[in-house]
Amino acid sequence: MKNIWLLFSVTILTITATTYNGCSEFKAGTSETNQTSVAANAALVSWDKITDSRLDGYIVSYRSESGAVNEIDVRNVTADSNGRVSVIIENLASAKMYYFKVAAYDNMGVESDYSTEVSKYVP
Amino acid sequence: MKIIILFSLVMASANLQAATYYVATTGTDNASCGTSVSPCKTVNYTLSNKVAASDTIRIKPGTYFESVTAGNTTKNLNIIITGDDPQNRPHFHGSWRVAHRVTGVTIKDVRIEGDINRGGIGPEWAGIITINAPRTTIDNVEVWDGIGLIGITTSKQVVIRNSYLHHAGLTEPCGGIDQHGISVTNWNEDPAATNWDEALIFENNKIHNVEGDGIQELGQVASLDDGGTEVTTKYVIIRNNEIYNACEQGLDFKGTQYVKIYGNNIYNNGYGGVSTNDEDGNVEYKHLHWWVFNNKIHGHDNFALFSQEGDDGNWFVWNNQFYNNCKNPTYDGCAAVSQPPPNSIVTNNVFYNNNSQNNNKYASAIESQRSNVLIKNNIFYNNGLGSKGKGNIHSSTNAVISNNYVYPASPGITGSNAITANDPKFVNAAALDFRLQSASPAKGVGVVIAGSADFTINLDFVGSARPSSNWDLGIYSGSGTTQPPLRLSAPKNLRVQ
């Protein structure tokens, strides 16, 4: 629970993303197979859904090459028909390389390890 | 009451006097610089001409070609040097130094890249950041591309946290000289810490791709090498770090005493995980009082944990996961836990799949030849296999070995009250899920190990309390058929577009 609270605090301070399904941080990302168009200053991050019944949410962590880490709490997301969960992070700064990774957490607030990191250059 | 009022006034006065100065690439170094609107151009000018003790320097985002030294033993005490925007940290090319007797310095929210033209490269015991004084804090700093990354030449009260240290050494892949992520020496022969409040603390850092060790402690050696007074480094805390792809060891300590290593993920380092050894064979280093717990140490060619010297001791090693070590040992007798020193306790660990792939070098899970080593409540499963394997436990009669799960039972020894069933019934060993199924033969067959304030063996790997009797073997404790919690799997197949 401690981690969740910290994330919530960070989310309030870093208004870099937009709304998802009435929650505060993200836009829904649709299936990659649909090739959703993503704004130049945004990133669509997706991963295989976690099927463990204890799942309570995900933490999307991202940073630019020179920036500190941002962590955003993602709850109440559903997977697409391909079993992929995706979110869009908007308002990224231009001319920077961004790095993303995702962890899951359970209903006790215990986090998983992070996924492998992926990157995207925002022109 | 008078004392309280006076103290309050003094504190208020100190706060009022502390000032903030700004540095920016667009600034100018002159007598009037330092405001947010008219910043100075260099950190060094601000340090030398603007600040007083306890002031703050805020550095605007941008790229700086400057090596920085906090060297004034009056004006630079207790200063804070920080990036102005933690989301867009300033990028320095050069090296930084906190000089001898300049205590209380904090460096945070900056990025420092080694630059051979500005002294940012080595020697290996120094670093891109060199810390010569106690009470120094490094927080949220990225350091890369040097010989040494952070060199500490004092003995106590240095904190390095939340930082990203990578790529030490200029000759990748491995093969260069010692070039460490963090190097602790004590050329200044500063007095050693005397309690945990004065500890060296390394926490929540990521350290990888270094030519030498992730962290090396060499204080006793350094204080002797120049003919000076011997000072043994004491009180070191290493917690919650991720350390990998070091060419040598993840942690390489010499004569360090009172060391707590916990919550770390240490893996794929070229030589081994955690070691204490003798630097030159001429000095008898003692490694007394180590606490190694709740770590994952895995994927090494040689040992996971190794103590070279033989006449010291008092190590507590518990709740650790040692797996896939001794993969390609360079010497006979590799063991995941090698030679715990006398009077050590090795309890409630999991040893799994520590096997040599080198047909000419043998391996085991634990090798123990020293006196009065207690080995209990561990799970040894499928270690030391192969034609030259020494099995799970390779030990002399000096150790007290009991109540372990040991499979296969031979070669090697099992000790008394061993469980030798052919399957420990982990929830999923292949996935490194070392929880026990309710039908596991390792459940409820352990003995109670007495703890202490510093040795909280009564808690398992995830903090669940162990019962008053009949402990489970291994790192987890469950109650009846209740499984202890397991962390969720990490999300897979992450993509970005």
Side-chain angles (χ1 to χ4, degrees):
Chain A
M1 297 306 290
K2 176 183 173 188
N3 288 330
I4 295 170
W5 172 247
L6 285 173
L7 289 168
F8 180 72
S9 302
V10 170
T11 302
I12 294 300
L13 292 171
T14 55
I15 308 170
T16 56
T18 54
T19 302
Y20 169 61
N21 280 357
C23 298
S24 57
E25 299 95 9
F26 291 99
K27 275 186 174 176
T30 53
S31 169
E32 291 168 283
T33 56
N34 294 336
Q35 290 299 304
T36 303
S37 62
V38 181
N41 68 342
L44 187 152
V45 181
S46 65
W47 59 93
D48 290 349
K49 70 177 180 181
I50 299 284
T51 56
D52 193 305
S53 61
R54 296 170 298 158
L55 177 74
D56 197 31
Y58 300 94
I59 296 161
V60 177
S61 171
Y62 67 97
R63 62 181 173 86
S64 68
E65 207 167 351
S66 60
V69 173
N70 297 282
E71 292 181 326
I72 299 182
D73 193 356
V74 182
R75 292 178 183 230
N76 303 320
V77 287
T78 55
D80 65 16
S81 58
N82 296 315
R84 301 283 290 175
V85 177
S86 55
V87 296
I88 297 173
I89 304 171
E90 295 188 326
N91 300 328
L92 300 173
S94 60
K96 287 182 181 296
M97 181 69 82
Y98 277 86
Y99 299 87
F100 306 86
K101 56 186 180 180
V102 179
Y105 61 87
D106 65 19
N107 48 20
M108 297 295 288
V110 178
E111 292 180 21
S112 73
D113 287 337
Y114 273 103
S115 66
T116 53
E117 195 171 66
V118 296
S119 61
K120 175 182 180 175
Y121 182 76
V122 177
Chain B
M1 182 59 76
K2 288 180 179 176
I3 293 172
I4 295 172
I5 292 170
L6 178 61
F7 178 72
S8 301
L9 288 172
V10 169
M11 292 301 289
S13 174
N15 287 336
L16 286 172
Q17 289 175 353
T20 297
Y21 297 94
Y22 289 85
V23 172
T25 56
T26 55
T28 303
D29 287 339
N30 58 35
S32 61
C33 75
T35 65
S36 182
V37 176
S38 300
C40 300
K41 186 173 184 61
T42 65
V43 178
N44 279 331
Y45 180 87
T46 314
L47 284 166
S48 299
N49 299 284
K50 308 299 290 190
V51 301
S54 302
D55 285 350
T56 296
I57 298 174
R58 302 191 69 87
I59 308 167
K60 300 282 190 179
T63 301
Y64 296 78
F65 296 90
E66 181 184 8
S67 285
V68 173
T69 298
N72 190 304
T73 55
T74 302
K75 294 191 293 186
N76 293 165
L77 298 176
N78 302 319
I79 57 169
I80 299 170
I81 307 173
T82 179
D84 188 48
D85 178 3
Q87 306 305 316
N88 192 7
R89 295 174 292 181
H91 177 174
F92 280 77
H93 293 259
S95 62
W96 287 45
R97 180 179 172 225
V98 178
H100 190 39
R101 299 183 187 280
V102 183
T103 58
V105 173
T106 296
I107 299 169
K108 60 182 294 192
D109 297 336
V110 298
R111 304 172 69 232
I112 308 172
E113 180 178 1
D115 186 333
I116 198 166
N117 297 314
R118 293 170 180 80
I121 306 294
E124 68 273 17
W125 46 264
I128 293 177
I129 300 177
T130 301
I131 299 167
N132 300 142
R135 296 200 300 110
T136 301
T137 297
I138 307 294
D139 190 356
N140 192 31
V141 173
E142 181 177 358
V143 183
W144 75 104
D145 275 0
I147 291 184
L149 295 180
I150 296 182
I152 300 169
T153 67
T154 184
S155 59
K156 61 182 179 182
Q157 292 172 301
V158 174
V159 178
I160 298 173
R161 62 165 58 108
N162 305 323
S163 291
Y164 181 29
L165 316 177
H166 59 102
H167 293 93
L170 307 174
T171 58
E172 287 189 275
C174 299
I177 59 172
D178 283 356
Q179 299 158 345
H180 310 301
I182 299 173
S183 175
V184 182
T185 58
N186 189 8
W187 303 110
N188 294 327
E189 295 169 13
D190 288 333
T194 57
N195 57 62
W196 291 112
D197 290 338
E198 296 182 341
L200 296 169
I201 300 175
F202 309 124
E203 61 184 1
N204 302 322
N205 302 294
K206 178 189 279 192
I207 304 172
H208 68 88
N209 288 80
V210 296
E211 279 270 342
D213 303 309
I215 303 174
Q216 183 186 76
E217 193 286 316
L218 201 61
Q220 191 179 35
V221 179
S223 64
L224 283 168
D225 267 5
D226 61 358
T229 303
E230 176 180 346
V231 181
T232 300
T233 302
K234 294 181 179 178
Y235 298 97
V236 181
I237 296 172
I238 300 173
R239 60 190 170 206
N240 302 329
N241 300 284
E242 183 178 8
I243 302 173
Y244 61 97
N245 290 357
C247 291
E248 297 181 353
Q249 285 91 241
L251 306 176
D252 180 13
F253 286 7
K254 306 303 178 188
T256 327
Q257 300 181 12
Y258 297 92
V259 181
K260 292 183 178 179
I261 300 171
Y262 60 95
N264 301 286
N265 188 9
I266 300 172
Y267 60 97
N268 292 355
N269 299 290
Y271 198 73
V274 180
S275 70
T276 66
N277 56 22
D278 187 339
E279 173 67 9
D280 55 18
N282 297 322
V283 182
E284 188 66 30
Y285 305 120
K286 296 186 182 301
H287 320 111
L288 299 167
H289 308 292
W290 281 45
W291 294 261
V292 182
F293 58 99
N294 290 25
N295 300 286
K296 296 179 184 177
I297 307 179
H298 54 103
H300 297 103
D301 280 348
N302 290 293
F303 52 84
L305 177 63
F306 174 38
S307 171
Q308 182 176 352
E309 293 303 302
D311 67 344
D312 44 11
N314 299 102
W315 285 26
F316 300 109
V317 181
W318 77 100
N319 287 353
N320 298 287
Q321 301 176 41
F322 301 113
Y323 55 89
N324 298 342
N325 298 288
C326 293
K327 291 187 303 182
N328 187 23
T330 54
Y331 58 93
D332 267 340
C334 181
V337 171
S338 184
Q339 303 291 17
N343 305 311
S344 292
I345 296 176
V346 180
T347 183
N348 288 94
N349 303 283
V350 168
F351 297 78
Y352 172 65
N353 199 32
N354 296 288
N355 289 303
S356 171
Q357 308 301 316
N358 180 344
N359 290 330
N360 296 315
K361 308 293 181 186
Y362 63 80
S364 62
I366 186 167
E367 175 146 358
S368 178
Q369 307 293 341
R370 294 174 179 154
S371 63
N372 197 33
V373 174
L374 186 153
I375 302 172
K376 294 186 178 183
N377 294 349
N378 301 286
I379 294 178
F380 297 96
Y381 183 47
N382 282 350
N383 303 282
L385 303 176
S387 59
K388 292 196 67 176
K390 292 294 183 181
N392 287 291
I393 306 174
H394 185 219
S395 173
S396 70
T397 56
N398 292 327
V400 179
I401 304 171
S402 74
N403 295 82
N404 298 290
Y405 171 93
V406 185
Y407 183 84
S410 64
I413 62 174
T414 62
S416 61
N417 297 327
I419 307 298
T420 58
N422 65 2
D423 185 352
K425 295 191 184 301
F426 289 130
V427 169
N428 188 343
L432 307 173
D433 179 351
F434 298 126
R435 294 178 303 162
L436 301 176
Q437 299 176 35
S438 57
S440 167
K443 286 193 72 68
V445 295
V447 292
V448 174
I449 305 292
S452 68
D454 279 327
F455 179 37
T456 51
I457 182 62
N458 57 313
L459 300 178
D460 75 359
F461 186 78
V462 291
S464 298
R466 291 193 161 96
S468 57
S469 63
N470 299 94
W471 283 9
D472 292 346
L473 309 185
I475 62 174
Y476 292 110
S477 179
S479 174
T481 58
T482 302
Q483 293 288 354
L486 180 73
R487 297 166 70 194
L488 297 173
S489 300
K492 293 182 171 58
N493 297 323
L494 189 70
R495 296 174 205 151
V496 62
Q497 65 182 74

